[in-house]
């Protein structure tokens, strides 16, 4: 995840030069970094400032200029189905002019100084609901970054607080392909299209449901993108199979067809060998329908490339593979691959079936019985 420090370094680069830190200005660009002006280093400490009890909050003050905005939604646990109660949420944003407005009296090392006064806290209700009221933020002046609202979550079912992809708004001219690509490749978040807004009387109204990330669950029972989500692009190293020796993107090359992505933290289990042999047999008799299978090793021990290749080659030979691709990614929390697919590092095997780049099935630590393997295949038909 991106810590506050990194986010604010990027934000500083966007802030225009100014004479003083007054109402809606930022610290001057080029100001030397000192202990007195550096951002807070404790991301989660922002939740110590206020302990909300309501599932509603107001971010911008009532007197703020701009178009009123109301966003509602439900926060779900990492299974994507169970409403998540008592989730603390923290939001902050620019004003309608694209500035992080502040009073000028805030301590320079506080979140209030770096985030401005347009911020708020809430706690989801027993149904996982939340509602925020504010004014529509403006984009950073002179830049090409879409208008957005930052937010953090802290859930009782999870180990820590973390940052999630900003609220951005459908139709924003700065919501370009390059923006979404950066969201995926640098930040590790799947694209979601932005919040669609409609005008009711004088207020813009939108809705966004949020799934907690399984990577942070206290109990590792969930892993992987949900059925219906789109498979992002990623570039693993291919050790075995048709693209051996290359960094072919599975979705770019084969996403228009159908197949299975088997994410694993270990290649020594009998379960994985049975799955590998099953999919090898299916690929060899696939007939006119294109079918692909990828075993993706997440390299939990962060072994060097030579050691990983040796490990995976040995596995592929022992499993007598030819068509099944055996690939690896740098680490189980790599933003551009495993994290992007919401792979929980504590789960041994996560199986994601895809069809035309969309997730159609998800199996977590399967037993790989004949019946279960047939169910995997059936989900692709």
């Amino acid at each position: 995840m991106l810590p506050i420090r990194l986010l604010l370094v990027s934000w500083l680069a966007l802030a225009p030069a100014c004479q003083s830190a007054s109402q809606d200005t930022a610290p001057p660009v080029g100001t030397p970094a000192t202990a007195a002006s550096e951002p807070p280093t404790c991301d989660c400490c922002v939740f110590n400032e206020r302990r909300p009890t309501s599932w509603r909050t107001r971010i911008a003050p009532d007197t703020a200029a701009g178009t009123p905005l109301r966003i509602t939604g439900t926060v779900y646990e990492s299974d994507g189905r169970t409403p998540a109660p008592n989730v603390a949420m923290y939001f902050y944003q620019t004003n309608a002019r694209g500035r992080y407005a502040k009073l000028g009296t805030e301590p320079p090392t506080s979140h209030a100084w770096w985030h401005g006064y347009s911020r708020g806290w809430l706690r989801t209700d027993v149904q996982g609901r939340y509602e925020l009221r504010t004014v529509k933020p403006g984009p950073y002046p002179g830049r090409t970054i879409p208008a957005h609202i930052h937010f953090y979550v802290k859930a009782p079912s999870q180990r820590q607080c973390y940052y999630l992809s900003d609220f951005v708004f459908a139709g924003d001219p700065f919501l370009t392909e390059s923006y979404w690509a950066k969201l995926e490749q640098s930040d590790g978040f799947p694209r979601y299209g932005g919040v669609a807004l409609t005008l009711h009387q004088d207020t813009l109204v939108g809705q966004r449901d949020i799934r907690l990330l399984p990577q942070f669950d206290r109990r590792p029972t969930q892993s992987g993108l949900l059925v219906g989500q789109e498979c992002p692009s990623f570039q693993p190293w291919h050790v075995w199979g048709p693209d051996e020796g290359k960094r072919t993107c599975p979705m770019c090359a084969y996403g228009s067809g159908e197949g299975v992505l088997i994410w694993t933290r270990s290649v020594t289990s009998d379960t994985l060998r049975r799955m590998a042999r099953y999919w090898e047999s299916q690929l060899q008799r696939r007939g006119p329908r294109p079918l692909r299978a990828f075993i993706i090793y997440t390299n939990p021990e962060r072994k060097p490339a030579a050691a990983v290749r040796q490990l995976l080659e040995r596995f592929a030979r022992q499993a007598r593979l030819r068509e099944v691709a055996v690939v690896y990614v740098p680490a189980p929390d790599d933003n551009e691959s495993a994290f992007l697919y919401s792979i929980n590092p504590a789960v041994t095997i996560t199986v994601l079936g895809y069809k035309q780049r969309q997730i159609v099935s998800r199996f977590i630590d399967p037993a790989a019985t004949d019946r279960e393997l047939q169910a995997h295949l059936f989900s692709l038909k």
Side-chain angles (χ1 to χ4, degrees):
M1 304 306 306
L2 290 181
I4 287 176
R5 178 181 293 235
L6 292 181
L7 289 167
L8 292 173
V9 167
S10 300
W11 173 73
L12 272 176
L14 302 172
C18 58
Q19 295 300 315
S20 64
S22 58
Q23 279 280 80
D24 70 348
T25 57
V29 170
T31 300
T34 66
S37 63
E38 289 185 355
T41 57
C42 174
D43 296 3
C44 294
C45 290
V46 72
F47 288 105
N48 297 335
E49 292 185 42
R50 201 166 298 177
R51 299 189 183 278
T53 56
S54 174
W55 59 281
R56 296 184 172 101
T57 192
R58 174 170 289 280
I59 302 176
D62 292 334
T63 56
T67 305
L69 173 66
R70 178 168 60 90
I71 299 177
T72 60
T74 301
V75 178
Y76 292 97
E77 299 286 359
S78 62
D79 61 8
R81 300 186 303 273
T82 307
N86 296 317
V87 177
M89 303 179 73
Y90 168 72
F91 308 86
Y92 69 99
Q93 66 171 82
T94 64
N95 60 16
R97 297 172 58 190
R99 309 295 184 99
Y100 291 97
K102 57 177 66 67
L103 299 173
T105 57
E106 302 88 346
T109 57
S110 67
H111 291 97
W113 169 265
W114 290 88
H115 295 175
Y117 54 65
S118 291
R119 59 194 193 123
W121 292 256
L122 61 79
R123 188 175 298 277
T124 59
D125 69 2
V126 293
Q127 301 174 55
R129 295 181 302 172
Y130 74 91
E131 178 184 291
L132 59 93
R133 291 178 179 269
T134 184
V135 297
K136 190 170 186 291
Y140 298 133
R143 315 301 288 190
T144 58
I145 295 176
H148 56 277
I149 300 173
H150 300 290
F151 77 110
Y152 279 78
V153 295
K154 184 180 181 183
S157 60
Q158 300 199 303
R159 301 188 309 273
Q160 65 186 68
C161 88
Y162 53 89
Y163 184 81
L164 278 170
S165 55
D166 298 334
F167 286 83
V168 292
F169 307 103
D172 191 311
F174 298 140
L175 280 184
T176 61
E177 174 59 28
S178 62
Y179 171 83
W180 292 118
K182 179 184 179 299
L183 188 75
E184 290 182 341
Q185 296 166 11
S186 299
D187 301 344
F189 296 125
R191 59 185 72 195
Y192 70 95
V195 178
L197 299 177
T198 55
L199 188 63
H200 288 260
Q201 297 180 343
D202 64 341
T203 301
L204 291 169
V205 177
Q207 190 265 344
R208 180 186 177 185
D209 292 337
I210 296 165
R211 177 202 181 192
L212 297 176
L213 298 180
Q215 298 94 314
F216 299 101
D217 284 349
R218 293 184 186 278
R219 298 177 60 235
T221 59
Q222 298 296 325
S223 182
L225 295 177
L226 298 176
V227 171
Q229 288 189 282
E230 183 176 314
C231 294
S233 301
F234 70 109
Q235 290 188 303
W237 284 268
H238 290 247
V239 174
W240 200 270
D243 296 297
E244 180 179 342
K246 301 178 183 178
R247 290 196 67 187
T248 303
C249 165
M251 288 301 112
C252 307
Y254 311 113
S256 60
E258 56 194 7
V260 61
L261 306 172
I262 304 170
W263 296 81
T264 181
R265 57 177 286 112
S266 172
V267 292
T268 61
S269 70
D270 290 337
T271 298
L272 185 65
R273 276 192 288 272
R274 284 199 301 274
M275 295 184 73
R277 286 303 309 155
Y278 176 81
W279 286 106
E280 180 68 26
S281 68
Q282 294 301 319
L283 266 59
Q284 290 188 17
R285 69 169 103 154
R286 60 191 171 190
R289 291 176 64 216
L291 184 66
R292 299 284 175 175
F294 302 87
I295 293 175
I296 308 162
Y297 178 59
T298 59
N299 194 20
E301 297 176 358
R302 291 171 167 78
K303 296 177 180 178
V308 174
R309 285 195 299 269
Q310 185 179 38
L311 175 69
L312 298 185
E313 286 172 359
R314 183 166 61 249
F315 165 79
R317 289 193 185 95
Q318 290 174 348
R320 303 187 304 282
L321 302 182
R322 189 180 67 192
E323 299 293 334
V324 171
V326 182
V327 309
Y328 73 95
V329 296
D333 57 355
D334 176 53
N335 269 358
E336 298 180 18
S337 54
F339 197 93
L340 184 59
Y341 273 76
S342 290
I343 301 303
N344 191 325
V347 169
T348 302
I349 298 176
T350 304
V351 182
L352 301 175
Y354 72 87
K355 196 170 185 177
Q356 296 180 344
R357 204 160 181 165
Q358 196 169 66
I359 300 293
V360 295
S361 61
R362 184 172 67 112
F363 301 88
I364 300 163
D365 278 340
T369 61
D370 291 344
R371 183 175 180 178
E372 196 170 54
L373 290 168
Q374 286 294 328
H376 295 185
L377 182 63
F378 182 78
S379 68
L380 303 180
K381 294 181 178 180

